[in-house]
Amino acid sequence: DTGVSQNPRHKITKRGQNVTFRCDPISEHNRLYWYRQTLGQGPEFLTYFQNEAQLEKSRLLSDRFSAERPKGSFSTLEIQRTEQGDSAMYLCASSPPGTGVNEQYFGPGTRLTVT
Amino acid sequence: EDKVVQSPLSLVVHEGDTVTLNCSYEVTNFRSLLWYKQEKKAPTFLFMLTSSGIEKKSGRLSSILDKKELFSILNITATQTGDSAVYLCAVLSSNTGKLIFGQGTTLQVKP
């Protein structure tokens, strides 16, 4: 399978715990995005990487959230001191290099439930 | 503030019907508009539209963009139950490629 992969697919955690999600983009895609989707809403942009550089962060990304892409391949999204409001589907997407306008391909998502 | 608005929010039709989904936007640094289909999992890419008036077509699905009036439509002809899904419209903004999504249209196709 050469698509975007995400792990874990589901995570249930207690409020106050830290969680970390992983995203492996499509091979050779240098752009990687994180989005959050709550029930009945479209995905909301969280952050964007080009190679290993984090180039944009949404104001939705509070200081409890941190994302990394240390080698320009896979990325991790960590949420510290989780709150019930963090319950959502966390989606990762990637797009290929180039100066043109490129569509983003999404992974299956990680569904987080904070109890 | 950038926004993308889809209508209707939900739609119920019978197999064989034709449906039109609407997407309007107010986004600075517009680059293109994308349509995705989401069936209880990650969104799957349908179309990307960059130029006004040029229809994109794939089987029974087609879409067109009007950059003057700031909207797009997605048409599905001869609907099938497998078309039941949430259809998401998103605008690609700025040089970073951030997608701004609408809230989606939930389509249910009854046999």
Side-chain angles (χ1 to χ4, degrees), chain A residues 6 9-10 37 41 43 89-91 106-111, chain B residues 36-44 84-86 88:
Chain A
Q6 292 188 245
R9 297 289 303 277
H10 303 274
Q37 186 175 25
Q41 300 297 317
M89 175 76 87
Y90 289 83
L91 295 165
F106 283 82
T110 295
R111 182 169 295 283
Chain B
Y36 286 86
K37 179 182 181 182
Q38 187 172 30
E39 300 170 89
K40 296 189 184 300
K41 53 185 180 180
T44 54
S84 296
V86 175
L88 293 165

mmCIF file with all atom_site columns, all heavy atoms in Angstrom, chain A residues 6 9-10 37 41 43 89-91 106-111, chain B residues 36-44 84-86 88:
data_model
loop_
_atom_site.group_PDB
_atom_site.id
_atom_site.type_symbol
_atom_site.label_atom_id
_atom_site.label_alt_id
_atom_site.label_comp_id
_atom_site.label_asym_id
_atom_site.label_entity_id
_atom_site.label_seq_id
_atom_site.pdbx_PDB_ins_code
_atom_site.Cartn_x
_atom_site.Cartn_y
_atom_site.Cartn_z
_atom_site.occupancy
_atom_site.B_iso_or_equiv
_atom_site.pdbx_formal_charge
_atom_site.auth_seq_id
_atom_site.auth_comp_id
_atom_site.auth_asym_id
_atom_site.auth_atom_id
_atom_site.pdbx_PDB_model_num
ATOM 1   N N   . GLN A 1 6   ? -1.384  6.139  8.834  1.00 0.00 ? 6   GLN A N   1
ATOM 2   C CA  . GLN A 1 6   ? -1.409  6.783  10.144 1.00 0.00 ? 6   GLN A CA  1
ATOM 3   C C   . GLN A 1 6   ? -1.558  5.716  11.222 1.00 0.00 ? 6   GLN A C   1
ATOM 4   O O   . GLN A 1 6   ? -2.288  4.734  11.036 1.00 0.00 ? 6   GLN A O   1
ATOM 5   C CB  . GLN A 1 6   ? -2.574  7.779  10.238 1.00 0.00 ? 6   GLN A CB  1
ATOM 6   C CG  . GLN A 1 6   ? -2.412  8.983  9.335  1.00 0.00 ? 6   GLN A CG  1
ATOM 7   C CD  . GLN A 1 6   ? -3.482  10.021 9.591  1.00 0.00 ? 6   GLN A CD  1
ATOM 8   O OE1 . GLN A 1 6   ? -4.311  10.297 8.716  1.00 0.00 ? 6   GLN A OE1 1
ATOM 9   N NE2 . GLN A 1 6   ? -3.464  10.621 10.778 1.00 0.00 ? 6   GLN A NE2 1
ATOM 10  N N   . ARG A 1 9   ? -4.867  3.859  14.615 1.00 0.00 ? 9   ARG A N   1
ATOM 11  C CA  . ARG A 1 9   ? -6.116  4.253  13.979 1.00 0.00 ? 9   ARG A CA  1
ATOM 12  C C   . ARG A 1 9   ? -7.120  4.767  15.007 1.00 0.00 ? 9   ARG A C   1
ATOM 13  O O   . ARG A 1 9   ? -7.948  5.621  14.689 1.00 0.00 ? 9   ARG A O   1
ATOM 14  C CB  . ARG A 1 9   ? -6.711  3.078  13.222 1.00 0.00 ? 9   ARG A CB  1
ATOM 15  C CG  . ARG A 1 9   ? -5.838  2.593  12.073 1.00 0.00 ? 9   ARG A CG  1
ATOM 16  C CD  . ARG A 1 9   ? -5.839  3.603  10.927 1.00 0.00 ? 9   ARG A CD  1
ATOM 17  N NE  . ARG A 1 9   ? -7.178  3.862  10.456 1.00 0.00 ? 9   ARG A NE  1
ATOM 18  C CZ  . ARG A 1 9   ? -7.830  3.106  9.592  1.00 0.00 ? 9   ARG A CZ  1
ATOM 19  N NH1 . ARG A 1 9   ? -7.241  2.044  9.087  1.00 0.00 ? 9   ARG A NH1 1
ATOM 20  N NH2 . ARG A 1 9   ? -9.052  3.432  9.216  1.00 0.00 ? 9   ARG A NH2 1
ATOM 21  N N   . HIS A 1 10  ? -7.036  4.234  16.210 1.00 0.00 ? 10  HIS A N   1
ATOM 22  C CA  . HIS A 1 10  ? -7.923  4.661  17.284 1.00 0.00 ? 10  HIS A CA  1
ATOM 23  C C   . HIS A 1 10  ? -7.099  4.796  18.560 1.00 0.00 ? 10  HIS A C   1
ATOM 24  O O   . HIS A 1 10  ? -6.178  3.999  18.793 1.00 0.00 ? 10  HIS A O   1
ATOM 25  C CB  . HIS A 1 10  ? -9.048  3.648  17.527 1.00 0.00 ? 10  HIS A CB  1
ATOM 26  C CG  . HIS A 1 10  ? -9.881  3.377  16.324 1.00 0.00 ? 10  HIS A CG  1
ATOM 27  N ND1 . HIS A 1 10  ? -10.971 4.146  15.975 1.00 0.00 ? 10  HIS A ND1 1
ATOM 28  C CD2 . HIS A 1 10  ? -9.776  2.423  15.376 1.00 0.00 ? 10  HIS A CD2 1
ATOM 29  C CE1 . HIS A 1 10  ? -11.499 3.670  14.862 1.00 0.00 ? 10  HIS A CE1 1
ATOM 30  N NE2 . HIS A 1 10  ? -10.794 2.626  14.473 1.00 0.00 ? 10  HIS A NE2 1
ATOM 31  N N   . GLN A 1 37  ? -10.654 16.933 12.475 1.00 0.00 ? 37  GLN A N   1
ATOM 32  C CA  . GLN A 1 37  ? -12.047 16.920 12.045 1.00 0.00 ? 37  GLN A CA  1
ATOM 33  C C   . GLN A 1 37  ? -12.943 16.453 13.182 1.00 0.00 ? 37  GLN A C   1
ATOM 34  O O   . GLN A 1 37  ? -12.757 15.369 13.727 1.00 0.00 ? 37  GLN A O   1
ATOM 35  C CB  . GLN A 1 37  ? -12.242 16.013 10.824 1.00 0.00 ? 37  GLN A CB  1
ATOM 36  C CG  . GLN A 1 37  ? -13.644 16.061 10.243 1.00 0.00 ? 37  GLN A CG  1
ATOM 37  C CD  . GLN A 1 37  ? -13.788 15.254 8.969  1.00 0.00 ? 37  GLN A CD  1
ATOM 38  O OE1 . GLN A 1 37  ? -13.050 14.308 8.735  1.00 0.00 ? 37  GLN A OE1 1
ATOM 39  N NE2 . GLN A 1 37  ? -14.738 15.636 8.114  1.00 0.00 ? 37  GLN A NE2 1
ATOM 40  N N   . GLN A 1 41  ? -18.363 18.264 10.827 1.00 0.00 ? 41  GLN A N   1
ATOM 41  C CA  . GLN A 1 41  ? -17.622 19.413 10.307 1.00 0.00 ? 41  GLN A CA  1
ATOM 42  C C   . GLN A 1 41  ? -16.593 18.960 9.284  1.00 0.00 ? 41  GLN A C   1
ATOM 43  O O   . GLN A 1 41  ? -16.174 17.808 9.263  1.00 0.00 ? 41  GLN A O   1
ATOM 44  C CB  . GLN A 1 41  ? -16.911 20.148 11.439 1.00 0.00 ? 41  GLN A CB  1
ATOM 45  C CG  . GLN A 1 41  ? -17.840 20.679 12.515 1.00 0.00 ? 41  GLN A CG  1
ATOM 46  C CD  . GLN A 1 41  ? -18.797 21.720 11.999 1.00 0.00 ? 41  GLN A CD  1
ATOM 47  O OE1 . GLN A 1 41  ? -18.423 22.607 11.235 1.00 0.00 ? 41  GLN A OE1 1
ATOM 48  N NE2 . GLN A 1 41  ? -20.057 21.624 12.389 1.00 0.00 ? 41  GLN A NE2 1
ATOM 49  N N   . PRO A 1 43  ? -12.688 19.094 7.778  1.00 0.00 ? 43  PRO A N   1
ATOM 50  C CA  . PRO A 1 43  ? -11.389 19.153 8.444  1.00 0.00 ? 43  PRO A CA  1
ATOM 51  C C   . PRO A 1 43  ? -10.901 20.597 8.614  1.00 0.00 ? 43  PRO A C   1
ATOM 52  O O   . PRO A 1 43  ? -11.171 21.449 7.768  1.00 0.00 ? 43  PRO A O   1
ATOM 53  C CB  . PRO A 1 43  ? -10.472 18.383 7.487  1.00 0.00 ? 43  PRO A CB  1
ATOM 54  C CG  . PRO A 1 43  ? -11.385 17.487 6.706  1.00 0.00 ? 43  PRO A CG  1
ATOM 55  C CD  . PRO A 1 43  ? -12.652 18.268 6.551  1.00 0.00 ? 43  PRO A CD  1
ATOM 56  N N   . MET A 1 89  ? -11.103 13.401 14.990 1.00 0.00 ? 89  MET A N   1
ATOM 57  C CA  . MET A 1 89  ? -10.307 12.611 14.053 1.00 0.00 ? 89  MET A CA  1
ATOM 58  C C   . MET A 1 89  ? -9.143  13.490 13.612 1.00 0.00 ? 89  MET A C   1
ATOM 59  O O   . MET A 1 89  ? -9.343  14.629 13.187 1.00 0.00 ? 89  MET A O   1
ATOM 60  C CB  . MET A 1 89  ? -11.154 12.231 12.835 1.00 0.00 ? 89  MET A CB  1
ATOM 61  C CG  . MET A 1 89  ? -10.374 11.520 11.749 1.00 0.00 ? 89  MET A CG  1
ATOM 62  S SD  . MET A 1 89  ? -10.042 9.806  12.169 1.00 0.00 ? 89  MET A SD  1
ATOM 63  C CE  . MET A 1 89  ? -11.535 9.050  11.550 1.00 0.00 ? 89  MET A CE  1
ATOM 64  N N   . TYR A 1 90  ? -7.939  12.964 13.717 1.00 0.00 ? 90  TYR A N   1
ATOM 65  C CA  . TYR A 1 90  ? -6.747  13.700 13.297 1.00 0.00 ? 90  TYR A CA  1
ATOM 66  C C   . TYR A 1 90  ? -6.283  13.109 11.961 1.00 0.00 ? 90  TYR A C   1
ATOM 67  O O   . TYR A 1 90  ? -5.920  11.937 11.881 1.00 0.00 ? 90  TYR A O   1
ATOM 68  C CB  . TYR A 1 90  ? -5.665  13.642 14.370 1.00 0.00 ? 90  TYR A CB  1
ATOM 69  C CG  . TYR A 1 90  ? -6.064  14.475 15.566 1.00 0.00 ? 90  TYR A CG  1
ATOM 70  C CD1 . TYR A 1 90  ? -6.906  13.951 16.547 1.00 0.00 ? 90  TYR A CD1 1
ATOM 71  C CD2 . TYR A 1 90  ? -5.666  15.801 15.685 1.00 0.00 ? 90  TYR A CD2 1
ATOM 72  C CE1 . TYR A 1 90  ? -7.328  14.728 17.619 1.00 0.00 ? 90  TYR A CE1 1
ATOM 73  C CE2 . TYR A 1 90  ? -6.078  16.583 16.754 1.00 0.00 ? 90  TYR A CE2 1
ATOM 74  C CZ  . TYR A 1 90  ? -6.918  16.038 17.708 1.00 0.00 ? 90  TYR A CZ  1
ATOM 75  O OH  . TYR A 1 90  ? -7.341  16.818 18.764 1.00 0.00 ? 90  TYR A OH  1
ATOM 76  N N   . LEU A 1 91  ? -6.312  13.942 10.955 1.00 0.00 ? 91  LEU A N   1
ATOM 77  C CA  . LEU A 1 91  ? -6.002  13.509 9.594  1.00 0.00 ? 91  LEU A CA  1
ATOM 78  C C   . LEU A 1 91  ? -4.659  14.065 9.153  1.00 0.00 ? 91  LEU A C   1
ATOM 79  O O   . LEU A 1 91  ? -4.326  15.218 9.424  1.00 0.00 ? 91  LEU A O   1
ATOM 80  C CB  . LEU A 1 91  ? -7.074  14.007 8.619  1.00 0.00 ? 91  LEU A CB  1
ATOM 81  C CG  . LEU A 1 91  ? -8.470  13.436 8.797  1.00 0.00 ? 91  LEU A CG  1
ATOM 82  C CD1 . LEU A 1 91  ? -9.485  14.268 8.021  1.00 0.00 ? 91  LEU A CD1 1
ATOM 83  C CD2 . LEU A 1 91  ? -8.518  11.998 8.323  1.00 0.00 ? 91  LEU A CD2 1
ATOM 84  N N   . PHE A 1 106 ? -5.087  12.093 1.570  1.00 0.00 ? 106 PHE A N   1
ATOM 85  C CA  . PHE A 1 106 ? -5.285  11.919 2.996  1.00 0.00 ? 106 PHE A CA  1
ATOM 86  C C   . PHE A 1 106 ? -5.050  10.484 3.451  1.00 0.00 ? 106 PHE A C   1
ATOM 87  O O   . PHE A 1 106 ? -5.321  9.524  2.711  1.00 0.00 ? 106 PHE A O   1
ATOM 88  C CB  . PHE A 1 106 ? -6.712  12.321 3.390  1.00 0.00 ? 106 PHE A CB  1
ATOM 89  C CG  . PHE A 1 106 ? -6.911  13.815 3.449  1.00 0.00 ? 106 PHE A CG  1
ATOM 90  C CD1 . PHE A 1 106 ? -7.167  14.534 2.297  1.00 0.00 ? 106 PHE A CD1 1
ATOM 91  C CD2 . PHE A 1 106 ? -6.816  14.488 4.662  1.00 0.00 ? 106 PHE A CD2 1
ATOM 92  C CE1 . PHE A 1 106 ? -7.327  15.914 2.348  1.00 0.00 ? 106 PHE A CE1 1
ATOM 93  C CE2 . PHE A 1 106 ? -6.978  15.857 4.719  1.00 0.00 ? 106 PHE A CE2 1
ATOM 94  C CZ  . PHE A 1 106 ? -7.239  16.568 3.566  1.00 0.00 ? 106 PHE A CZ  1
ATOM 95  N N   . GLY A 1 107 ? -4.578  10.358 4.678  1.00 0.00 ? 107 GLY A N   1
ATOM 96  C CA  . GLY A 1 107 ? -4.486  9.068  5.338  1.00 0.00 ? 107 GLY A CA  1
ATOM 97  C C   . GLY A 1 107 ? -5.810  8.715  5.982  1.00 0.00 ? 107 GLY A C   1
ATOM 98  O O   . GLY A 1 107 ? -6.755  9.502  5.963  1.00 0.00 ? 107 GLY A O   1
ATOM 99  N N   . PRO A 1 108 ? -5.890  7.512  6.598  1.00 0.00 ? 108 PRO A N   1
ATOM 100 C CA  . PRO A 1 108 ? -7.154  7.033  7.187  1.00 0.00 ? 108 PRO A CA  1
ATOM 101 C C   . PRO A 1 108 ? -7.536  7.752  8.479  1.00 0.00 ? 108 PRO A C   1
ATOM 102 O O   . PRO A 1 108 ? -8.655  7.627  8.931  1.00 0.00 ? 108 PRO A O   1
ATOM 103 C CB  . PRO A 1 108 ? -6.885  5.556  7.449  1.00 0.00 ? 108 PRO A CB  1
ATOM 104 C CG  . PRO A 1 108 ? -5.407  5.475  7.610  1.00 0.00 ? 108 PRO A CG  1
ATOM 105 C CD  . PRO A 1 108 ? -4.831  6.507  6.700  1.00 0.00 ? 108 PRO A CD  1
ATOM 106 N N   . GLY A 1 109 ? -6.593  8.476  9.066  1.00 0.00 ? 109 GLY A N   1
ATOM 107 C CA  . GLY A 1 109 ? -6.900  9.227  10.268 1.00 0.00 ? 109 GLY A CA  1
ATOM 108 C C   . GLY A 1 109 ? -6.671  8.444  11.547 1.00 0.00 ? 109 GLY A C   1
ATOM 109 O O   . GLY A 1 109 ? -6.619  7.205  11.549 1.00 0.00 ? 109 GLY A O   1
ATOM 110 N N   . THR A 1 110 ? -6.489  9.182  12.631 1.00 0.00 ? 110 THR A N   1
ATOM 111 C CA  . THR A 1 110 ? -6.450  8.625  13.979 1.00 0.00 ? 110 THR A CA  1
ATOM 112 C C   . THR A 1 110 ? -7.614  9.230  14.748 1.00 0.00 ? 110 THR A C   1
ATOM 113 O O   . THR A 1 110 ? -7.696  10.454 14.881 1.00 0.00 ? 110 THR A O   1
ATOM 114 C CB  . THR A 1 110 ? -5.132  8.965  14.704 1.00 0.00 ? 110 THR A CB  1
ATOM 115 O OG1 . THR A 1 110 ? -4.043  8.338  14.041 1.00 0.00 ? 110 THR A OG1 1
ATOM 116 C CG2 . THR A 1 110 ? -5.196  8.507  16.155 1.00 0.00 ? 110 THR A CG2 1
ATOM 117 N N   . ARG A 1 111 ? -8.494  8.357  15.221 1.00 0.00 ? 111 ARG A N   1
ATOM 118 C CA  . ARG A 1 111 ? -9.629  8.856  15.996 1.00 0.00 ? 111 ARG A CA  1
ATOM 119 C C   . ARG A 1 111 ? -9.261  8.866  17.471 1.00 0.00 ? 111 ARG A C   1
ATOM 120 O O   . ARG A 1 111 ? -8.977  7.822  18.051 1.00 0.00 ? 111 ARG A O   1
ATOM 121 C CB  . ARG A 1 111 ? -10.874 8.003  15.771 1.00 0.00 ? 111 ARG A CB  1
ATOM 122 C CG  . ARG A 1 111 ? -12.088 8.537  16.536 1.00 0.00 ? 111 ARG A CG  1
ATOM 123 C CD  . ARG A 1 111 ? -13.380 7.878  16.120 1.00 0.00 ? 111 ARG A CD  1
ATOM 124 N NE  . ARG A 1 111 ? -13.742 8.151  14.739 1.00 0.00 ? 111 ARG A NE  1
ATOM 125 C CZ  . ARG A 1 111 ? -14.258 9.283  14.293 1.00 0.00 ? 111 ARG A CZ  1
ATOM 126 N NH1 . ARG A 1 111 ? -14.451 10.300 15.117 1.00 0.00 ? 111 ARG A NH1 1
ATOM 127 N NH2 . ARG A 1 111 ? -14.576 9.422  13.025 1.00 0.00 ? 111 ARG A NH2 1
ATOM 128 N N   . TYR B 2 36  ? -13.766 16.589 -2.448 1.00 0.00 ? 36  TYR B N   1
ATOM 129 C CA  . TYR B 2 36  ? -13.432 15.297 -1.876 1.00 0.00 ? 36  TYR B CA  1
ATOM 130 C C   . TYR B 2 36  ? -14.726 14.557 -1.534 1.00 0.00 ? 36  TYR B C   1
ATOM 131 O O   . TYR B 2 36  ? -15.743 15.171 -1.232 1.00 0.00 ? 36  TYR B O   1
ATOM 132 C CB  . TYR B 2 36  ? -12.613 15.453 -0.592 1.00 0.00 ? 36  TYR B CB  1
ATOM 133 C CG  . TYR B 2 36  ? -11.174 15.879 -0.778 1.00 0.00 ? 36  TYR B CG  1
ATOM 134 C CD1 . TYR B 2 36  ? -10.828 17.227 -0.879 1.00 0.00 ? 36  TYR B CD1 1
ATOM 135 C CD2 . TYR B 2 36  ? -10.145 14.930 -0.822 1.00 0.00 ? 36  TYR B CD2 1
ATOM 136 C CE1 . TYR B 2 36  ? -9.514  17.613 -1.036 1.00 0.00 ? 36  TYR B CE1 1
ATOM 137 C CE2 . TYR B 2 36  ? -8.821  15.315 -0.977 1.00 0.00 ? 36  TYR B CE2 1
ATOM 138 C CZ  . TYR B 2 36  ? -8.516  16.661 -1.079 1.00 0.00 ? 36  TYR B CZ  1
ATOM 139 O OH  . TYR B 2 36  ? -7.199  17.047 -1.232 1.00 0.00 ? 36  TYR B OH  1
ATOM 140 N N   . LYS B 2 37  ? -14.617 13.224 -1.514 1.00 0.00 ? 37  LYS B N   1
ATOM 141 C CA  . LYS B 2 37  ? -15.714 12.363 -1.061 1.00 0.00 ? 37  LYS B CA  1
ATOM 142 C C   . LYS B 2 37  ? -15.250 11.676 0.215  1.00 0.00 ? 37  LYS B C   1
ATOM 143 O O   . LYS B 2 37  ? -14.134 11.143 0.265  1.00 0.00 ? 37  LYS B O   1
ATOM 144 C CB  . LYS B 2 37  ? -16.035 11.322 -2.131 1.00 0.00 ? 37  LYS B CB  1
ATOM 145 C CG  . LYS B 2 37  ? -17.138 10.343 -1.761 1.00 0.00 ? 37  LYS B CG  1
ATOM 146 C CD  . LYS B 2 37  ? -17.337 9.322  -2.885 1.00 0.00 ? 37  LYS B CD  1
ATOM 147 C CE  . LYS B 2 37  ? -18.451 8.355  -2.559 1.00 0.00 ? 37  LYS B CE  1
ATOM 148 N NZ  . LYS B 2 37  ? -18.619 7.319  -3.622 1.00 0.00 ? 37  LYS B NZ  1
ATOM 149 N N   . GLN B 2 38  ? -16.091 11.672 1.234  1.00 0.00 ? 38  GLN B N   1
ATOM 150 C CA  . GLN B 2 38  ? -15.713 11.049 2.501  1.00 0.00 ? 38  GLN B CA  1
ATOM 151 C C   . GLN B 2 38  ? -16.801 10.072 2.940  1.00 0.00 ? 38  GLN B C   1
ATOM 152 O O   . GLN B 2 38  ? -17.942 10.456 3.174  1.00 0.00 ? 38  GLN B O   1
ATOM 153 C CB  . GLN B 2 38  ? -15.482 12.108 3.586  1.00 0.00 ? 38  GLN B CB  1
ATOM 154 C CG  . GLN B 2 38  ? -14.920 11.535 4.874  1.00 0.00 ? 38  GLN B CG  1
ATOM 155 C CD  . GLN B 2 38  ? -14.511 12.610 5.862  1.00 0.00 ? 38  GLN B CD  1
ATOM 156 O OE1 . GLN B 2 38  ? -15.080 13.686 5.899  1.00 0.00 ? 38  GLN B OE1 1
ATOM 157 N NE2 . GLN B 2 38  ? -13.501 12.311 6.685  1.00 0.00 ? 38  GLN B NE2 1
ATOM 158 N N   . GLU B 2 39  ? -16.376 8.801  3.085  1.00 0.00 ? 39  GLU B N   1
ATOM 159 C CA  . GLU B 2 39  ? -17.294 7.734  3.512  1.00 0.00 ? 39  GLU B CA  1
ATOM 160 C C   . GLU B 2 39  ? -16.802 7.125  4.809  1.00 0.00 ? 39  GLU B C   1
ATOM 161 O O   . GLU B 2 39  ? -16.106 6.122  4.794  1.00 0.00 ? 39  GLU B O   1
ATOM 162 C CB  . GLU B 2 39  ? -17.350 6.628  2.455  1.00 0.00 ? 39  GLU B CB  1
ATOM 163 C CG  . GLU B 2 39  ? -17.820 7.065  1.094  1.00 0.00 ? 39  GLU B CG  1
ATOM 164 C CD  . GLU B 2 39  ? -17.621 5.963  0.057  1.00 0.00 ? 39  GLU B CD  1
ATOM 165 O OE1 . GLU B 2 39  ? -18.532 5.140  -0.116 1.00 0.00 ? 39  GLU B OE1 1
ATOM 166 O OE2 . GLU B 2 39  ? -16.541 5.932  -0.573 1.00 0.00 ? 39  GLU B OE2 1
ATOM 167 N N   . LYS B 2 40  ? -17.072 7.734  5.929  1.00 0.00 ? 40  LYS B N   1
ATOM 168 C CA  . LYS B 2 40  ? -16.685 7.228  7.245  1.00 0.00 ? 40  LYS B CA  1
ATOM 169 C C   . LYS B 2 40  ? -15.187 6.939  7.342  1.00 0.00 ? 40  LYS B C   1
ATOM 170 O O   . LYS B 2 40  ? -14.747 6.113  8.122  1.00 0.00 ? 40  LYS B O   1
ATOM 171 C CB  . LYS B 2 40  ? -17.468 5.953  7.598  1.00 0.00 ? 40  LYS B CB  1
ATOM 172 C CG  . LYS B 2 40  ? -18.963 6.211  7.724  1.00 0.00 ? 40  LYS B CG  1
ATOM 173 C CD  . LYS B 2 40  ? -19.660 4.993  8.276  1.00 0.00 ? 40  LYS B CD  1
ATOM 174 C CE  . LYS B 2 40  ? -21.164 5.184  8.319  1.00 0.00 ? 40  LYS B CE  1
ATOM 175 N NZ  . LYS B 2 40  ? -21.576 6.324  9.162  1.00 0.00 ? 40  LYS B NZ  1
ATOM 176 N N   . LYS B 2 41  ? -14.410 7.572  6.560  1.00 0.00 ? 41  LYS B N   1
ATOM 177 C CA  . LYS B 2 41  ? -12.964 7.413  6.623  1.00 0.00 ? 41  LYS B CA  1
ATOM 178 C C   . LYS B 2 41  ? -12.344 8.677  6.047  1.00 0.00 ? 41  LYS B C   1
ATOM 179 O O   . LYS B 2 41  ? -12.985 9.718  6.025  1.00 0.00 ? 41  LYS B O   1
ATOM 180 C CB  . LYS B 2 41  ? -12.525 6.172  5.849  1.00 0.00 ? 41  LYS B CB  1
ATOM 181 C CG  . LYS B 2 41  ? -13.039 6.123  4.413  1.00 0.00 ? 41  LYS B CG  1
ATOM 182 C CD  . LYS B 2 41  ? -12.678 4.824  3.734  1.00 0.00 ? 41  LYS B CD  1
ATOM 183 C CE  . LYS B 2 41  ? -13.204 4.796  2.307  1.00 0.00 ? 41  LYS B CE  1
ATOM 184 N NZ  . LYS B 2 41  ? -12.886 3.545  1.607  1.00 0.00 ? 41  LYS B NZ  1
ATOM 185 N N   . ALA B 2 42  ? -11.107 8.589  5.623  1.00 0.00 ? 42  ALA B N   1
ATOM 186 C CA  . ALA B 2 42  ? -10.435 9.789  5.134  1.00 0.00 ? 42  ALA B CA  1
ATOM 187 C C   . ALA B 2 42  ? -11.042 10.269 3.820  1.00 0.00 ? 42  ALA B C   1
ATOM 188 O O   . ALA B 2 42  ? -11.556 9.487  3.030  1.00 0.00 ? 42  ALA B O   1
ATOM 189 C CB  . ALA B 2 42  ? -8.952  9.504  4.943  1.00 0.00 ? 42  ALA B CB  1
ATOM 190 N N   . PRO B 2 43  ? -10.997 11.557 3.584  1.00 0.00 ? 43  PRO B N   1
ATOM 191 C CA  . PRO B 2 43  ? -11.486 12.091 2.305  1.00 0.00 ? 43  PRO B CA  1
ATOM 192 C C   . PRO B 2 43  ? -10.690 11.544 1.131  1.00 0.00 ? 43  PRO B C   1
ATOM 193 O O   . PRO B 2 43  ? -9.465  11.438 1.195  1.00 0.00 ? 43  PRO B O   1
ATOM 194 C CB  . PRO B 2 43  ? -11.267 13.604 2.452  1.00 0.00 ? 43  PRO B CB  1
ATOM 195 C CG  . PRO B 2 43  ? -11.146 13.852 3.922  1.00 0.00 ? 43  PRO B CG  1
ATOM 196 C CD  . PRO B 2 43  ? -10.529 12.628 4.486  1.00 0.00 ? 43  PRO B CD  1
ATOM 197 N N   . THR B 2 44  ? -11.396 11.196 0.065  1.00 0.00 ? 44  THR B N   1
ATOM 198 C CA  . THR B 2 44  ? -10.728 10.777 -1.169 1.00 0.00 ? 44  THR B CA  1
ATOM 199 C C   . THR B 2 44  ? -10.922 11.845 -2.230 1.00 0.00 ? 44  THR B C   1
ATOM 200 O O   . THR B 2 44  ? -12.009 12.394 -2.388 1.00 0.00 ? 44  THR B O   1
ATOM 201 C CB  . THR B 2 44  ? -11.251 9.425  -1.683 1.00 0.00 ? 44  THR B CB  1
ATOM 202 O OG1 . THR B 2 44  ? -12.679 9.507  -1.798 1.00 0.00 ? 44  THR B OG1 1
ATOM 203 C CG2 . THR B 2 44  ? -10.907 8.305  -0.738 1.00 0.00 ? 44  THR B CG2 1
ATOM 204 N N   . SER B 2 84  ? -23.595 7.550  -1.756 1.00 0.00 ? 84  SER B N   1
ATOM 205 C CA  . SER B 2 84  ? -23.914 8.065  -0.420 1.00 0.00 ? 84  SER B CA  1
ATOM 206 C C   . SER B 2 84  ? -22.619 8.345  0.326  1.00 0.00 ? 84  SER B C   1
ATOM 207 O O   . SER B 2 84  ? -21.766 7.461  0.477  1.00 0.00 ? 84  SER B O   1
ATOM 208 C CB  . SER B 2 84  ? -24.761 7.054  0.359  1.00 0.00 ? 84  SER B CB  1
ATOM 209 O OG  . SER B 2 84  ? -26.006 6.855  -0.273 1.00 0.00 ? 84  SER B OG  1
ATOM 210 N N   . ALA B 2 85  ? -22.463 9.564  0.763  1.00 0.00 ? 85  ALA B N   1
ATOM 211 C CA  . ALA B 2 85  ? -21.218 9.992  1.410  1.00 0.00 ? 85  ALA B CA  1
ATOM 212 C C   . ALA B 2 85  ? -21.357 11.456 1.806  1.00 0.00 ? 85  ALA B C   1
ATOM 213 O O   . ALA B 2 85  ? -22.364 12.102 1.505  1.00 0.00 ? 85  ALA B O   1
ATOM 214 C CB  . ALA B 2 85  ? -20.025 9.835  0.449  1.00 0.00 ? 85  ALA B CB  1
ATOM 215 N N   . VAL B 2 86  ? -20.312 11.949 2.462  1.00 0.00 ? 86  VAL B N   1
ATOM 216 C CA  . VAL B 2 86  ? -20.187 13.395 2.682  1.00 0.00 ? 86  VAL B CA  1
ATOM 217 C C   . VAL B 2 86  ? -19.279 13.939 1.590  1.00 0.00 ? 86  VAL B C   1
ATOM 218 O O   . VAL B 2 86  ? -18.192 13.395 1.349  1.00 0.00 ? 86  VAL B O   1
ATOM 219 C CB  . VAL B 2 86  ? -19.596 13.697 4.068  1.00 0.00 ? 86  VAL B CB  1
ATOM 220 C CG1 . VAL B 2 86  ? -19.360 15.202 4.226  1.00 0.00 ? 86  VAL B CG1 1
ATOM 221 C CG2 . VAL B 2 86  ? -20.514 13.190 5.168  1.00 0.00 ? 86  VAL B CG2 1
ATOM 222 N N   . LEU B 2 88  ? -17.063 17.023 0.402  1.00 0.00 ? 88  LEU B N   1
ATOM 223 C CA  . LEU B 2 88  ? -16.376 18.170 0.970  1.00 0.00 ? 88  LEU B CA  1
ATOM 224 C C   . LEU B 2 88  ? -15.793 19.036 -0.133 1.00 0.00 ? 88  LEU B C   1
ATOM 225 O O   . LEU B 2 88  ? -15.177 18.533 -1.072 1.00 0.00 ? 88  LEU B O   1
ATOM 226 C CB  . LEU B 2 88  ? -15.228 17.704 1.885  1.00 0.00 ? 88  LEU B CB  1
ATOM 227 C CG  . LEU B 2 88  ? -15.625 16.967 3.158  1.00 0.00 ? 88  LEU B CG  1
ATOM 228 C CD1 . LEU B 2 88  ? -14.418 16.265 3.762  1.00 0.00 ? 88  LEU B CD1 1
ATOM 229 C CD2 . LEU B 2 88  ? -16.221 17.921 4.172  1.00 0.00 ? 88  LEU B CD2 1
#
